[in-house]
Amino acid sequence: MNAYRIAALIVAPLFMSGCFSSPKEKTEYEKQIDAVPMPVTEAERQEQCRTFKLAADRQQAEDFVQYALRSKMGSDSEYIETQALRNRLRAMKCPGYGRFS
């Protein structure tokens, strides 16, 4: 029983610190993506889905090349642009990017 209490005392602060972490500041690229108005009609949504999907595919290919080059040099990358595009695609409920698509 004491082991469970000790484990709970160790894990609880770690869990709570993860739940209450400060929000991350958005990058300039993420702000540009968010500035594009959300589509109103279904045709606009499909057009924006196509446009953002192409941009996400291009960015992912560029990230892959950068990853290959950086892995040889040993540096690290975050791929913020790709993640921002994917978040937008999920927000618009584009096919293949939603939770239940």
Side-chain angles (χ1 to χ4, degrees), residues 41-59:
T41 64
E42 181 63 20
E44 287 176 354
R45 187 184 72 80
Q46 289 178 356
E47 182 62 31
Q48 279 193 19
C49 282
R50 248 180 271 134
T51 303
F52 280 111
K53 173 88 170 83
L54 286 171
D57 290 345
R58 276 190 229 112
Q59 188 62 46

Side-chain angles (χ1 to χ4, degrees), residues 1 41 57 61 63 69 77 86:
M1 260 331 222
T41 64
D57 290 345
D63 288 347
L69 293 174
S77 178
R86 286 181 181 166

Side-chain angles (χ1 to χ4, degrees), residues 18-101:
C19 291
F20 296 109
S21 62
S22 61
K24 186 185 80 152
E25 182 69 27
K26 287 190 175 187
T27 64
E28 193 61 39
Y29 190 79
E30 289 171 316
K31 290 176 185 175
Q32 288 174 358
I33 296 289
D34 290 344
V36 176
M38 289 296 271
V40 177
T41 64
E42 181 63 20
E44 287 176 354
R45 187 184 72 80
Q46 289 178 356
E47 182 62 31
Q48 279 193 19
C49 282
R50 248 180 271 134
T51 303
F52 280 111
K53 173 88 170 83
L54 286 171
D57 290 345
R58 276 190 229 112
Q59 188 62 46
Q60 192 169 10
E62 186 178 314
D63 288 347
F64 180 74
V65 170
Q66 291 297 319
Y67 174 78
L69 293 174
R70 288 180 179 155
S71 65
K72 292 179 183 178
M73 298 183 327
S75 63
D76 201 13
S77 178
E78 292 184 24
Y79 310 114
I80 294 170
E81 291 87 1
T82 302
Q83 191 61 39
L85 289 165
R86 286 181 181 166
N87 289 341
R88 178 60 183 240
L89 288 165
R90 273 189 217 100
M92 291 190 308
K93 297 179 175 65
C94 294
Y97 286 93
R99 179 177 283 184
F100 299 108
S101 58

